[in-house]
Amino acid sequence: MFLEPQETMPQTSVVFSSILGPSCSGQGQPGMGERGGGAGGSGDLIFQDGRLISGSLEALMEHLVPTVDYYPDRTYIFTFLLSSRVFIPPHDLLARVGQLCVEQRQQLEAGSEKAKLKSFSAKIVQLLKEWTEAFPFDFQDEKAMAELKAITHRVTQCDEENGTVKKAISQMTQSLLLSLAARSQLQELREKLRSPAMDKGPVLKAKPPAAQKDILGVCCDPLVLAQQLTHIELERVSSIHPEDLLQIVSHMDSRDKHRVVKKKHRTRMLEFFIDVARECFNIGNFNSMMAIISGMNLSPVARLKKTWSKVKTAKFDVLEHHMDPSSNFCNYRTALQGATQRSQTANSSREKIVIPVFNLFVKDIYFLHKIHTNHLPNGHINFKKFWEISRQIHEFMTWTQVECPFEKDKKIQSYLLTAPIYSEEALFIASFESEGPENHMEKDSWKTLRTTLLNRA
């Protein structure tokens, strides 16, 4: 029933592989020329061991724009376009790029160097192509689209004879419009699929409708459920874009009725999800694994002592060890590193799957962003910081491009995607109904919950 592992490596994003090449080393492309210390003056960009570590915003913008004998390193293009939005809106950056292009074009026209003018125009189109492919949603803004049209209009005037540049611009524009349309359609689909909010307030002693199944009635194989969770995770992370992650980090600066009654069934359910979490770990789906473990450690579940006494917890203890938060989740990071290395040398798409714990990934980026300043004492942008942020985001984006090798089970996915989400109050009531309160604190909580429900009625 299930697909065999594919022998060919899944295609990662052409955009990121073309921009960053085989590594994020930041080394320049051979034959593309070098721009010494910055177009605005040798002191405006600072290099260390051949690597750009800081510069003024103006110098960094000038370093982005090609010349006749220079084209920026592709890792620099990605890193600067990603990080520049912290300091300047994309449409303003595009306007400045346009100004720099006009200045260089005027110099070339004054010297009547037609061949060099064509070469320069081709490089400008290549830069715009890489920008629109890596960050197409920068051009959702009407101002950015207007600036793009203005720049492309200027460069086409240099290629009236054979139309090579004009053709490249046409292809770039068409691809950009398709990307924007695809994102718009995806957003519309999400809105349609988003069901209206349901009243999940629990009702005392209410039993679930006979037709409503629990997960074991839909899927009883932990591996299959882990694979379907992986499908969902990969589909969701594939819609995340580099600028989305940086935006999350930047914004962080400012910041019911279904019961499992029988103990035997509750025990079976816990053991089943322990096995699901273990299969998620084996697959490389750490996000789902962490969600399952976190759910089991919630107070309404953890307090079910009679249920847990019947559970074989050895496997759960191993999983908890992997997700032990001590030493900044050292054990998890070791496992993630192992999965990353496996992915890099994988011969099948199954081995390429890496889904990190998303909130930990975002926190890592956030603290990197928070601990290191955006500007150095001399006023330069701390570009060394943004190299590292870019490297980590690029690695994440590579993981998001992996195609899920498992066959999709619509029945299981439908259950997972439409199952209700219960409030903490609802979970506690279900917990107390399953196993009554055992101490004064729990008795007081149970009494408060009952009173709240009676008042609502």
Side-chain angles (χ1 to χ4, degrees):
M1 177 179 177
F2 294 98
L3 296 175
E4 292 299 318
Q6 298 177 6
E7 293 302 321
T8 57
M9 301 279 273
Q11 292 287 324
T12 55
S13 170
V14 175
V15 175
F16 296 109
S17 61
S18 65
I19 290 177
L20 291 150
S23 70
C24 289
S25 65
Q27 299 302 315
Q29 274 195 312
M32 298 304 283
E34 283 297 333
R35 207 176 205 160
S42 59
D44 291 340
L45 294 177
I46 304 298
F47 291 82
Q48 186 177 73
D49 299 325
R51 188 179 183 84
L52 176 62
I53 61 170
S54 74
S56 65
L57 178 59
E58 180 62 23
L60 291 169
M61 288 191 290
E62 292 178 356
H63 197 59
L64 177 70
V65 179
T67 65
V68 172
D69 55 0
Y70 162 80
Y71 191 81
D73 170 26
R74 287 175 174 176
T75 62
Y76 176 77
I77 294 173
F78 179 81
T79 301
F80 181 68
L81 291 178
L82 175 65
S83 58
S84 62
R85 63 201 67 236
V86 175
F87 309 99
I88 182 173
H91 65 264
D92 285 345
L93 174 60
L94 195 59
R96 181 62 184 133
V97 168
Q99 291 173 358
L100 292 168
C101 289
V102 169
E103 292 171 7
Q104 291 200 50
R105 182 186 170 192
Q106 289 173 343
Q107 292 176 3
L108 293 170
E109 287 176 338
S112 300
E113 299 181 272
K114 197 170 183 179
K116 289 185 177 181
L117 189 58
K118 284 185 177 181
S119 173
F120 170 69
S121 298
K123 288 181 179 179
I124 292 299
V125 173
Q126 177 62 24
L127 175 66
L128 295 174
K129 180 175 180 289
E130 294 192 31
W131 190 340
T132 56
E133 287 179 346
F135 302 97
F137 311 116
D138 285 353
F139 299 89
Q140 288 183 122
D141 181 41
E142 291 182 2
K143 293 180 181 178
M145 189 60 82
E147 292 291 348
L148 178 65
K149 289 179 180 178
I151 296 173
T152 55
H153 175 70
R154 294 188 196 107
V155 297
T156 51
Q157 295 175 354
C158 307
D159 188 47
E160 294 177 350
E161 292 180 6
N162 55 28
T164 304
V165 171
K166 191 173 183 179
K167 183 179 179 182
I169 290 173
S170 177
Q171 292 174 341
M172 175 193 71
T173 304
Q174 186 176 8
S175 297
L176 173 60
L177 293 175
L178 287 173
S179 295
L180 293 175
R183 179 158 186 169
S184 177
Q185 290 173 0
L186 181 61
Q187 289 173 338
E188 289 177 8
L189 181 61
R190 284 175 176 170
E191 290 299 324
K192 290 179 181 179
L193 292 176
R194 193 172 291 149
S195 57
M198 298 172 60
D199 181 11
K200 299 182 178 66
V203 179
L204 279 173
K205 299 299 181 184
K207 292 185 178 181
Q212 187 177 5
K213 296 180 179 180
D214 60 42
I215 186 61
L216 290 174
V218 179
C219 175
C220 59
D221 187 333
L223 174 59
V224 173
L225 186 59
Q227 291 175 344
Q228 298 310 306
L229 286 169
T230 302
H231 253 298
I232 293 171
E233 295 280 14
L234 285 174
E235 286 177 2
R236 289 183 173 178
V237 299
S238 66
S239 64
I240 298 174
H241 302 277
E243 63 269 31
D244 297 333
L245 292 169
L246 197 62
Q247 187 177 37
I248 290 171
V249 170
S250 299
H251 286 179
M252 284 171 73
D253 281 336
S254 56
R255 295 207 53 145
D256 296 70
K257 299 181 181 180
H258 186 39
R259 302 284 186 264
V260 177
V261 179
K262 294 182 180 179
K263 181 169 65 177
K264 184 178 180 180
H265 192 67
R266 293 198 302 272
T267 301
R268 184 186 174 200
M269 189 71 77
L270 287 174
E271 290 181 337
F272 175 71
F273 272 104
I274 290 171
D275 287 337
V276 173
R278 186 176 65 168
E279 295 295 351
C280 286
F281 178 82
N282 292 335
I283 289 171
N285 182 357
F286 299 106
N287 200 51
S288 290
M289 174 191 173
M290 176 65 93
I292 292 170
I293 293 174
S294 300
M296 290 183 169
N297 282 318
L298 289 174
S299 296
V301 180
R303 65 166 295 277
L304 300 173
K305 295 179 181 178
K306 294 177 182 178
T307 303
W308 279 101
S309 68
K310 301 295 182 181
V311 175
K312 298 175 183 178
T313 58
K315 289 182 284 188
F316 185 64
D317 293 340
V318 172
L319 295 174
E320 281 200 309
H321 172 74
H322 286 305
M323 294 300 172
D324 183 355
S326 62
S327 301
N328 194 20
F329 290 90
C330 177
N331 295 337
Y332 157 69
R333 296 181 189 282
T334 300
L336 179 63
Q337 184 179 16
T340 302
Q341 292 173 348
R342 179 186 69 181
S343 176
Q344 292 169 348
T345 59
N347 294 317
S348 71
S349 52
R350 291 190 182 206
E351 296 175 330
K352 289 191 71 68
I353 296 172
V354 181
I355 305 174
V357 179
F358 189 67
N359 66 337
L360 288 180
F361 174 78
V362 171
K363 285 180 180 177
D364 287 346
I365 299 294
Y366 171 70
F367 283 116
L368 185 61
H369 174 64
K370 193 71 175 175
I371 291 172
H372 301 285
T373 60
N374 288 341
H375 291 92
L376 299 176
N378 64 358
H380 280 191
I381 289 173
N382 183 5
F383 209 68
K384 188 177 181 180
K385 160 186 170 176
F386 290 104
W387 276 126
E388 180 58 24
I389 290 176
S390 172
R391 184 192 67 78
Q392 293 192 27
I393 289 179
H394 171 256
E395 184 173 53
F396 178 84
M397 298 310 300
T398 301
W399 296 333
T400 69
Q401 303 301 319
V402 174
E403 294 182 10
C404 190
F406 310 123
E407 186 174 354
K408 185 178 292 187
D409 189 309
K410 292 182 179 179
K411 185 179 179 182
I412 299 173
Q413 291 220 350
S414 176
Y415 181 91
L416 293 171
L417 293 170
T418 60
I421 300 173
Y422 297 102
S423 66
E424 186 178 17
E425 181 185 80
L427 293 174
F428 265 115
I429 291 174
S431 178
F432 285 134
E433 287 180 345
S434 300
E435 293 184 19
E438 292 189 347
N439 53 50
H440 291 297
M441 185 178 294
E442 287 189 345
K443 288 176 181 178
D444 289 343
S445 297
W446 182 219
K447 184 178 180 180
T448 301
L449 286 172
R450 289 170 63 92
T451 301
T452 302
L453 287 174
L454 290 172
N455 290 337
R456 284 181 189 167

